[in-house]
Every structure is written in C-alpha cells, then in structure tokens.
Amino acid sequence: MLRKTFRLLLNSLLTLLLITGIYFASAWILGRIPMNHERVEQGDITIFLLSNGIHVDIAMPLTSREFDWRTVISPADTGNPHTPSDYVALGWGDRAFYLNTPRWADLTASTAFKALTGLSRTVVHATFYPTPQTNSHSIEIRITPAEYRKLINSILPQFQYRNGRTIVIKNGGYGSNDVFYEAQGRYSLFMTCNTWANTHLKNSGLKSVVWTPFADTIMDVYRK
C-alpha cells in the first residue's frame, strides 16, 4: 500500500514537472518569434510600455485627435480631483488578485488557484500619469494614427459596459491616481496580464511576439 501511494505521488510530481517544463519551454520559444518585426518606428503619437518587472501596462495619451479616453473612463473616477492626467496606462488581470493582493504578502492559495485556472472575473486597471519619462521600465514607442486607432479598437471591447458607460469598481484603487473597471475575459496561465498587452500590440500591427506570459519578453522586443 505504501509503495503504491509513493508511486502515485512520484508519478504526480513527475507529471507536474513535465507540464511546468512544457509551459516554460513554450513561453521561451514563442516569446522569441517576432510579430510585425518589419515595422519601422514612426508616427507622431507617443505611447509607452510601463513595466514593474512582473506586469506591463500600455500608456496612451488621455486625449488626442484620434480618441478621447475620457468618453470611456475618467480621472475623476479615482476620487481625486487633482489626479495628473496627461496619460492613462491600462492593464488587465484577475479581479481577485488585483483587488485583494496589493502586496505579494497578501496572496492566498485560493486567489492564486482561481487566477491560474480562470475561475474568477477580470478587471481593467487604469492609472493616470503626467507624461511618462523614458527609462529601463518605461519604453517610448512612436506610432501612426492608423496604428493608434487599431490599438484603441482592440482595447475598448475589453471593458464591460452598462448603459454605454464602463463599470467603475468603487474604492478599488491602490492610490490617488488609479481605478479599476469591470472587464471581459478570464485570466489563466495562458492568458495573463502580459499576454493581454502583447495581444493588443500585435492586433495594432506593432512589434510583439507570438505568445508570452512574461513582462520582460515584451519589453525586450523594444529594447533591441
């Protein structure tokens, strides 16, 4: 009996290691296959990729000739009338993880399990900024109006709407310049916050990779 139990545990461990190995190998391979790599850096609209090392946001002008994000979201939703608002950075992710895990120390096994398996809902995280400064965690990308319109049209359906307006999650922000909105889709191992960002870059004809769950893979495309 003990031998059978040991064999079952060993087989389970080996299966888990195999699946983990396949996952990371796939991320490594697909993350090195470029998409839209022939694109030339050009255009008079500036967006930014902002990374904290784990998560990538796409920062866009709050207002422009192409689109006014205030028709969909608003700095006033933060509850702070003095919120800086030259740019809005958008990210997407698991609802429980975002709202209940402001620090890694707050992460629970239940939240992690639901996030990785797609069992909970998702949110869009909007952070309002002055114009970002370029550094190792903030990469400037110049794009054309046509590319920007594609990016906008790719992101807009990611929000949930009620009576034509996005649905604000009250008192959900981390600070005085951010807010959460109810979103479409499910987070999982195969659709992470960074997969989401990469997908919208790809949909817009911007440089990206076939698939990645990791922030650095996206940033490295523009660091080369």
Side-chain angles (χ1 to χ4, degrees), residues 92-98 113-124 157-160 182-196 199-200 211:
W92 172 95
D94 179 80
R95 191 181 196 278
F97 190 95
Y98 255 135
F113 178 78
K114 289 180 180 179
L116 294 177
T117 53
L119 294 178
S120 63
R121 293 178 292 167
T122 53
V123 294
V124 171
Q158 301 301 302
F159 291 90
Q160 287 189 31
E182 299 287 2
Q184 305 284 356
R186 297 284 182 176
Y187 186 100
S188 72
L189 278 168
F190 305 101
M191 175 54 79
T192 70
C193 52
N194 299 311
T195 309
W196 184 89
T199 297
H200 293 302
W211 176 79

Side-chain angles (χ1 to χ4, degrees), residues 17-223:
L17 290 174
L18 177 62
I19 293 172
T20 302
I22 292 172
Y23 180 83
F24 282 99
S26 299
W28 189 89
I29 293 169
L30 297 178
R32 278 156 180 77
I33 301 176
M35 299 293 292
N36 306 317
H37 66 282
E38 73 286 348
R39 179 188 180 270
V40 177
E41 184 83 3
Q42 60 180 351
D44 55 5
I45 298 170
T46 302
I47 66 171
F48 293 83
L49 297 183
L50 307 180
S51 172
N52 63 4
I54 297 173
H55 173 88
V56 170
D57 282 345
I58 302 175
M60 298 161 286
L62 185 64
T63 62
S64 69
R65 285 179 296 180
E66 283 63 43
F67 190 67
D68 186 342
W69 280 101
R70 295 174 301 180
T71 62
V72 180
I73 58 179
S74 172
D77 293 335
T78 65
N80 176 16
H82 305 296
T83 299
S85 54
D86 296 327
Y87 272 72
V88 58
L90 299 180
W92 172 95
D94 179 80
R95 191 181 196 278
F97 190 95
Y98 255 135
L99 297 180
N100 302 329
T101 316
R103 303 170 303 163
W104 285 106
D106 300 316
L107 180 63
T108 65
S110 173
T111 297
F113 178 78
K114 289 180 180 179
L116 294 177
T117 53
L119 294 178
S120 63
R121 293 178 292 167
T122 53
V123 294
V124 171
H125 185 212
T127 309
F128 299 93
Y129 291 107
T131 302
Q133 300 298 309
T134 302
N135 55 50
S136 60
H137 298 290
S138 174
I139 296 178
E140 176 184 310
I141 308 170
R142 290 183 295 110
I143 65 176
T144 65
E147 291 170 332
Y148 189 38
R149 286 191 292 270
K150 288 181 181 179
L151 181 61
I152 293 163
N153 291 331
S154 183
I155 291 176
L156 283 177
Q158 301 301 302
F159 291 90
Q160 287 189 31
Y161 295 87
R162 181 185 296 138
N163 299 322
R165 295 293 300 175
T166 51
I167 304 171
V168 181
I169 299 174
K170 299 295 185 181
N171 303 315
Y174 296 145
S176 62
N177 68 324
D178 72 309
V179 63
F180 289 97
Y181 299 88
E182 299 287 2
Q184 305 284 356
R186 297 284 182 176
Y187 186 100
S188 72
L189 278 168
F190 305 101
M191 175 54 79
T192 70
C193 52
N194 299 311
T195 309
W196 184 89
N198 181 71
T199 297
H200 293 302
L201 294 173
K202 189 190 310 180
N203 291 347
S204 309
L206 303 176
K207 290 181 180 179
S208 51
V209 297
V210 171
W211 176 79
T212 183
F214 303 125
D216 277 349
T217 303
I218 300 172
M219 301 297 279
D220 285 345
V221 169
Y222 290 91
R223 288 173 178 147

